[in-house]
Amino acid sequence: MKLYREKAVRPTIPTASMADIAFLLIIFFMLTTSFSPVKTSVELPESLERSEVDPNAAIVAISAQHELVFSDGESPGVDLQTPDQLGSLIEQVVMREPNKQFIIRADRFVPYRNVDEVLEALRSHGAREIGLLTEQKTPRRGGR
Amino acid sequence: MNLRSRRSSAEVPTASMADIAFLLIIFFMLTAVYSTTRGMEFAFPKDDPQQLNVQPEEAIHIKILGEGQFRVDRRSMALDEMGEYVQSKMEQNPQKPVIIQTLPEVPYFVMIDVFDLLKQLQVKNVSVPTQSEIARWKVFGIFE
């Protein structure tokens, strides 16, 4: 009796589609992410009321360490030493686009004085539309 | 002479492709700074004489003294009481302006809380004067 000898099959894991999946994920993340030109990390205050702000708006960021960063929305942010420098930068932006929106991205624990200085500069140099960036606040349960 | 060579199947090595792709995903995820694109909007009053007719004496005047410490029309109130007070005033006159004055040392989020509350109550005329404007108004005895 001749026993049939099975040919050995080499074990393989099919990984060909892995790359497809990974690239699909890359493309998904690339399309859904919007990058901020200002990389200052801030802990934003929370609010219930939130509306969409212009993604191309100019940004003024105030960090918890009171650092001031300005970006016109296209070029990367510049660190400012004093709020006085802000005035001329705002003026340049307003001259180019009079209806440009300005966003204030301030840390929640920053004293209001710092925000006020920025508002003052924006107002006196012709900015019209202002946005205050916030995180979504979760409503209190039970109505209290 | 043996002319027949063994056929080896043509193959593109794709095993490392997935590694590269996942490496890219991880790199982008770690370096990305996401931008928040939602917040609260407000517009500065236009330099229009028609709009400057608002009499500050008629407005509800909210003074933020600190976290949870508010003076509304010269009376101390908590945030909830303030909400009820403003709402009752709004029922009488929906166009009634509200002025938010924040002391310089108060953390920014307290002002956002008040601003958010007013937005919830659908107050149309919210005014956030800067320190220099308050100083100017003080001359006329509008502020305490």
Side-chain angles (χ1 to χ4, degrees), chain A residues 18 22 26 33-34 36 47-49 51-53 108 110 112-113 116 120 123 127-128 130-134 144, chain B residues 18 21 25 34-35 37-42 44-45 80 104-106 108-109 116 120 128 130-133:
Chain A
M18 199 75 144
I26 290 184
T33 352
S34 56
S36 165
S47 71
L48 291 166
E49 168 85 26
S51 53
E52 198 73 32
V53 295
R108 49 180 305 169
V110 149
Y112 186 71
R113 180 192 292 111
D116 190 77
E120 185 85 62
R123 183 163 212 179
R128 293 198 196 122
I130 314 286
L132 305 172
L133 277 196
T134 54
R144 210 162 73 101
Chain B
I25 290 183
Y34 297 98
S35 69
T37 55
R38 292 173 81 82
M40 306 175 74
E41 287 179 52
F42 76 91
F44 285 139
D80 297 1
E105 274 72 40
V106 177
Y108 174 52
F109 76 91
D116 190 32
Q120 297 294 311
V128 185
T130 55
Q131 294 300 327
S132 67
E133 283 172 300

Side-chain angles (χ1 to χ4, degrees), chain B residues 71-85:
Chain B
R71 274 180 82 76
V72 186
D73 289 345
R74 301 180 191 221
R75 270 190 290 155
S76 294
M77 284 189 197
L79 196 66
D80 297 1
E81 286 173 75
M82 183 165 75
E84 285 159 24
Y85 178 78

Side-chain angles (χ1 to χ4, degrees), chain A residues 58-76:
Chain A
I59 300 170
V60 184
I62 310 168
S63 75
Q65 285 75 40
H66 306 186
E67 294 156 330
L68 202 60
V69 181
F70 179 83
S71 162
D72 61 4
E74 288 129 39
S75 44

Side-chain angles (χ1 to χ4, degrees), chain A residues 80-100:
Chain A
L80 302 179
Q81 305 305 318
T82 58
D84 310 332
Q85 291 172 279
L86 199 58
S88 58
L89 289 167
I90 294 166
E91 222 156 70
Q92 284 169 23
V93 176
V94 174
M95 283 236 268
R96 259 184 291 142
E97 290 168 73
N99 288 318
K100 184 100 171 174

